[in-house]
Structure formats: C-alpha cells, structure tokens
Amino acid sequence: MKLGYRQLMTMKPAGLAQRFWDFFAENDESAYLIQCALLVQIRNSLSPTDFSFLAKELICQLFLEGSDLQEVKELCVYFRPYFTDNEWQKVTTRLFPTPKERAKITEQARLYTKKFPLLYSGEREVQTKASLLATFMDENGKKHSWTTSNVDPNLTSQQHEEYLSLLSTLTILQKDGVRRFVSLVEVNYSLFRTSIARRTQEEIDEHQAKVNDLPRVNTIGQAVAQPEEQALADNIQELSESSEKVSQAAKTGTAKPRENRTSQKIQKQAPQNKPVPPEADSSEELNDPESVAAYLNQLKRKAAGNPPTREERKKQNQINKALGKKKRRRK
C-alpha cells in the first residue's frame, strides 16, 4: 500500500484517512506516518476543504504506543488538540524523560496551537478558488517550483509564509536523497496576485534563521519515490544509450544513409515555386556525440528548473530533424 506525496496532496479526506490505516496495517513506520499527518495538516491550512484531524485515532495511537519516535517527538506540539489533558500527559511522559523537558514541550504546544489554528480548521467557504505557485530552496541551495491547487485565496501574506515554512520541518519530501523544502523564496497566486515578493539572499537567510527554531524532525527520514522523477531518469538513461549508438554510427559511417533519406524527404515536401534554403548538415549533428550530450544536458537543466540555452534548443531541433521527428504544433 503506497502513501507518498502524490496521495497526501491529491486524495480526498475520506479516502486519504483510509489510506493511512491501510498503510499502517502493512508497515510499522510510526515516524513516517506522523510526518505524513503533518503534511496533511499543512494542506488543510491552505485549502478550504476539511482535512482537519484526519486519522486522529491512528495518530494518537502512534504517539502513545508507536516505536522509534525519537526523531519526530518534537512534532507532537502540532498535534496537541488531538489529545485530552490526560492523554497529553502520557505522551509527554513517554517521549520526554525529565519534568523540565515536559514543561517546555507543553508550553511550546500551547504557543504553536495558538499560532497555527488553520492546521485544525474545518471547511471554509470561499467565493473563488486559486492555485498557489511557490519557490523553495533545496538542501543544496538550488531553487525549485512547487504548485498546489484548491487554495483558499483569503489567506494573508504572513499566513502563507508561516504555514508553508512548516514544510521545512519535514524530511520525507526529498529528491535523490536531497531535501526539497529547506527555505521559502517566493509565493504567487495563479492569477498573479503576489503573496510574498522575490527576496534577496540576505532576506532568505534571515527568514531561514527563524524557521530553524520550529520543532522539526531530528534526522533524515526515508525518501518518497516520485513517479515523475523516475520517468525523467529513464528518459535520460535512454538518451544516453542513444548517444553511444550515435557515436558508434559516426565511426562506422552507418548513419549517412538515414541522413540521405531524411534530406530527400524534406526536399520532396518543399514547394516547387519557392527556393529551398540550404539544409544544415544534419548527419554531422547526428553523428556528433557532443550534440547529443547537449540534448541530455538540456533535459537535466529542465529537471533542475532551468530553461535550455539557445544553443541547446538549436542542437535539439537539428537532431530531431535528422531523426525524422516532426515539430509539435501548438494548439
């Protein structure tokens, strides 16, 4: 039973609650489930749909009986409303050995319950719904975009910043072992209503210093595999193999007949009453491993959120033309 980022951010409340129980029945991963529950709380804070107290009984059971909770024990402050006073005392006694630690975490829970009330809010009425586009910095200092739909447009800039910053307390949101949501850079509505303006690096560092004080997961958790990332990796691997074939074809001269057939086909389709401009030597591009490497680099740059260079687009078009691929028409 899979319970990853896609299920947590797209499933409806009833189905998602059942998915929590099904996953728990097959996997003894209390720390992972608690992080998943906090991600759903963040989704609840941004959305007018009611995701509050999702799988409450299970989360209470995990804090009261679950094993290996040391890395997520501080996250209990975000779940204080889930427990009665008697249950909360049992949780804190179980997770924090000294009275001083228990007093501190109880005070934190009181403050954060007051600071983040939308984590537990029910359904909210809105006149219009919007999508939210945010830019985050990952663990390696690279920027990437993150989009979520069905967002409550009535949230203020400060609320966006506070609730989205909670994503940085989680370690299950990773790509290739690198945490994705380390610091928040900017947020925009799909209708171009800016919530958080673009920041300087100094402002980002200042905000990150505040975020670092939030209760968080203590160690790196298990990464959740993303289907889109796997598909991109497979595509790059396939193109790498094609690059090796192109290089071999250049040495043996076997790529020339294909180029001739492609050039003849292009010349046949050209209008008779218009001069045909000289075609680029597509065989040279096709047989040049550096050109194919440029195409691969373009894909990698695209995966990292960077647009391809003009030279990379030119080489890609030449390679596609040599391979007989038709240019897609915009609808």
Side-chain angles (χ1 to χ4, degrees):
M1 179 62 61
K2 187 173 182 180
L3 182 62
Y5 174 83
R6 185 169 183 174
Q7 290 75 32
L8 294 169
M9 295 302 295
T10 60
M11 292 184 69
K12 294 182 179 180
L16 186 55
Q18 185 60 47
R19 181 62 64 94
F20 266 76
W21 283 102
D22 293 342
F23 183 87
F24 174 69
E26 297 181 5
N27 304 273
D28 184 17
E29 298 184 24
S30 300
Y32 179 80
L33 280 168
I34 287 172
Q35 290 197 62
C36 290
L38 180 53
L39 180 57
V40 174
Q41 284 185 328
I42 297 170
R43 182 183 177 189
N44 181 79
S45 68
L46 299 175
S47 171
T49 305
D50 184 9
F51 289 91
S52 59
F53 298 99
L54 188 128
K56 174 184 174 182
E57 296 80 4
L58 174 59
I59 302 305
C60 291
Q61 178 181 332
L62 294 177
F63 274 113
L64 288 167
E65 303 174 6
S67 58
D68 300 326
L69 296 182
Q70 283 303 304
E71 66 176 13
V72 296
K73 65 180 183 179
E74 291 187 4
L75 297 187
C76 68
V77 300
Y78 301 114
F79 297 93
R80 175 62 182 91
Y82 285 47
F83 302 98
T84 64
D85 291 343
N86 185 43
E87 290 172 336
W88 177 254
Q89 185 175 359
K90 292 180 180 179
V91 169
T92 55
T93 301
R94 183 170 186 259
L95 298 178
F96 303 93
T98 67
K100 184 177 181 179
E101 288 179 305
R102 292 195 288 271
K104 180 181 178 180
I105 203 69
T106 298
E107 177 62 15
Q108 270 193 322
R110 184 186 70 80
L111 293 175
Y112 281 100
T113 300
K114 185 177 180 180
K115 183 177 181 179
F116 298 108
L118 295 182
L119 294 177
Y120 327 103
S121 65
E123 184 176 2
R124 305 193 293 273
E125 292 187 6
V126 295
Q127 298 298 320
T128 59
K129 296 179 182 179
S131 295
L132 202 63
L133 173 63
T135 302
F136 285 87
M137 198 86 74
D138 70 10
E139 197 171 23
N140 290 337
K142 294 183 178 180
K143 295 180 182 180
H144 64 92
S145 298
W146 176 77
T147 304
T148 184
S149 58
N150 191 24
V151 171
D152 182 355
N154 298 320
L155 269 65
T156 65
S157 299
Q158 182 178 356
Q159 287 174 316
H160 280 143
E161 180 173 359
E162 291 175 345
Y163 285 97
L164 288 175
S165 293
L166 291 176
L167 291 172
S168 67
T169 67
L170 303 174
T171 60
I172 60 174
L173 304 175
Q174 300 183 11
K175 178 182 178 182
D176 300 330
V178 177
R179 287 179 57 204
R180 300 280 283 163
F181 299 89
V182 173
S183 61
L184 179 64
V185 179
E186 63 179 348
V187 182
N188 294 279
Y189 281 112
S190 58
L191 300 179
F192 304 102
R193 295 198 312 186
T194 302
S195 173
I196 298 179
R198 186 176 298 276
R199 297 171 170 178
T200 64
Q201 186 60 47
E202 185 175 310
E203 291 172 329
I204 293 173
D205 294 340
E206 181 181 353
H207 171 67
Q208 185 58 31
K210 298 178 182 178
V211 174
N212 288 339
D213 293 333
L214 292 170
R216 64 184 57 250
V217 180
N218 295 325
T219 58
I220 297 296
Q222 181 179 1
V224 181
Q226 302 292 332
E228 294 81 3
E229 295 163 7
Q230 184 60 46
L232 180 58
D234 293 341
N235 192 15
I236 292 177
Q237 176 63 28
E238 180 181 351
L239 285 168
S240 297
E241 294 174 356
S242 299
S243 177
E244 294 178 3
K245 293 179 181 179
V246 167
S247 179
Q248 185 64 28
K251 295 177 181 178
T252 59
T254 57
K256 193 66 176 178
R258 177 167 186 162
E259 183 274 328
N260 289 336
R261 290 195 300 270
T262 305
S263 298
Q264 291 171 4
K265 184 177 180 181
I266 293 173
Q267 292 175 0
K268 274 186 176 181
Q269 294 175 349
Q272 299 299 323
N273 58 343
K274 294 183 180 180
V276 180
E279 292 288 333
D281 188 358
S282 56
S283 62
E284 180 182 352
E285 293 293 340
L286 182 60
N287 293 331
D288 181 9
E290 293 182 357
S291 299
V292 179
Y295 185 27
L296 295 176
N297 289 335
Q298 178 187 343
L299 285 180
K300 294 177 182 177
R301 286 167 59 84
K302 183 178 180 181
N306 299 318
T309 64
R310 181 178 181 182
E311 188 63 23
E312 287 172 345
R313 291 197 302 269
K314 179 179 178 181
K315 289 181 179 295
Q316 179 187 356
N317 291 334
Q318 291 172 334
I319 291 172
N320 288 341
K321 185 180 294 185
L323 293 175
K325 293 183 180 180
K326 295 182 178 179
K327 184 176 180 181
R328 292 184 178 179
R329 295 182 177 177
R330 295 183 179 178
K331 294 182 178 181

